[in-house]
């Protein structure tokens, strides 16, 4: 079932909002899924660097298949984002041999309803063209006006100019600042470990962290060394980390993410890796796979939660499948710290 011209135009223009940044030199594979009632919904997206695609097309398609093989995929739309030289003919589409190879590989895995289009840039006025039919073409609206972009704005998720801008969020504070706090953080972690065994102390510590998340949701991040050290220790201590994963909505989840990023910048060593994993979890639960992936690049790979998140992202597990489980497990962790009975005993 080919996607209409208007549908293709909307998909291409929505890509920055869906992945969190404006892609360049990329192939984005967008899936449409069939619901049980016969309606169609957007499925997982996969973005591949063109440089990697040209060398490892087979690996790229196999990874895509692992992500969506168990899903009711109706069709796949590929978007090649690649600037062309001014002296190229108006109807030319680049990298045709690479695209043909990808389409053939997708067919081997059973994806036969595939449309691939080229666009030089995802920007207002840019024209996309189909590889299959040169007369299938369309002009992009302002990507900021798409429904996906409006939803991202409402959720407080700005679209970055490139992936590097998102990765740059993980720029640590000056080394002398982190070294100055290293010993204080180590001592604070020891205190947090003690506090987990005292219901009253745990209540007070969780209260400070809850207040910090609320403040971060309003744009107020901690700047005082003592507050940063205390919060780092709290989120780096497993029972408190688990108890603080449950938040009421995505706005609060984004606040927690921004708070943890501020704490990460002031941490180093294993503690920083632990905080990055928690950032990845909040990003994943918000549906921000790109942000979660970048956070995992800075996480401790030996942590069980890091390995679990990496696997879930690799297999495109929707956050909706685990969100309730995380909320319930987090609530139980909080009850345990506070000495309250489990939910099924209340």
């Amino acid at each position: 079932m080919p996607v209409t011209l208007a549908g293709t135009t909307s998909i291409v223009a929505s890509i920055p909002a869906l992945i969190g940044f404006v892609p360049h030199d990329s192939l984005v594979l967008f899936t449409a899924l069939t619901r049980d009632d016969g309606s169609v919904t957007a499925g997982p997206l996969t973005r591949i660097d063109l440089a990697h695609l040209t060398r490892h097309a087979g690996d790229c398609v196999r990874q895509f298949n692992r992500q969506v093989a168990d899903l009711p995929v109706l069709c796949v739309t590929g978007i090649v984002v690649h600037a062309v030289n001014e002296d190229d003919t108006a109807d030319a589409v680049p990298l045709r041999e690479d695209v043909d190879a990808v389409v053939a590989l997708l067919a081997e895995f059973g994806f036969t309803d595939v449309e691939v289009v080229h666009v030089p840039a995802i920007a207002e006025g840019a024209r996309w063209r189909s590889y299959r039919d040169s007369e299938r073409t369309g002009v992009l609206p302002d990507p900021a006006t798409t429904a996906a972009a409006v939803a991202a704005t409402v959720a407080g998720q700005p679209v970055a100019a490139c992936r590097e801008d998102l990765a740059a969020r993980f720029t640590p504070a000056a080394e002398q600042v982190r070294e100055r706090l290293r010993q204080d953080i180590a001592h604070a972690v020891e205190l947090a470990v003690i506090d987990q065994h005292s219901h009253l102390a745990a209540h007070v510590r969780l209260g400070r962290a809850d207040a910090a998340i609320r403040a971060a949701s309003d744009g107020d991040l901690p700047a005082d060394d003592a507050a940063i050290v205390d919060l780092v220790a709290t989120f780096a201590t497993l029972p408190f980390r688990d108890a603080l994963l449950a938040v009421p909505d995505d706005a609060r989840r984004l606040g927690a993410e921004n708070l943890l990023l501020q704490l990460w910048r002031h941490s180093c060593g294993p503690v920083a890796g632990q905080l990055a994993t928690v950032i990845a979890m909040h990003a994943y639960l918000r549906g921000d796979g790109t942000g979660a992936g970048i956070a995992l690049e800075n996480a401790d790979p030996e942590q069980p939660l890091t390995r679990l998140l990496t696997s879930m992202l690799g297999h495109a597990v929707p956050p909706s499948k685990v969100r309730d489980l995380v909320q319930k497990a987090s609530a139980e962790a909080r009850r345990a710290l506070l000495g309250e009975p489990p939910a099924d005993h209340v």
Side-chain angles (χ1 to χ4, degrees), residues 185 187-190 192 205 228-237 240 271:
I185 289 173
H187 178 62
V189 169
E190 293 174 358
R205 183 174 286 276
I228 289 173
V229 166
D230 175 69
L231 290 165
V232 167
T234 298
F235 283 99
T237 303
F240 289 109
V271 168

Side-chain angles (χ1 to χ4, degrees), residues 300-313:
D300 178 359
E302 298 304 316
Q303 283 197 79
L305 184 57
T306 301
R307 294 197 293 269
L308 176 63
L309 278 171
T310 301
S311 177
M312 289 192 297
L313 283 173

Side-chain angles (χ1 to χ4, degrees), residues 111-122:
F111 303 106
T112 55
D113 193 346
V114 179
E115 166 78 296
V116 184
V117 304
H118 165 257
V119 66
I122 301 182

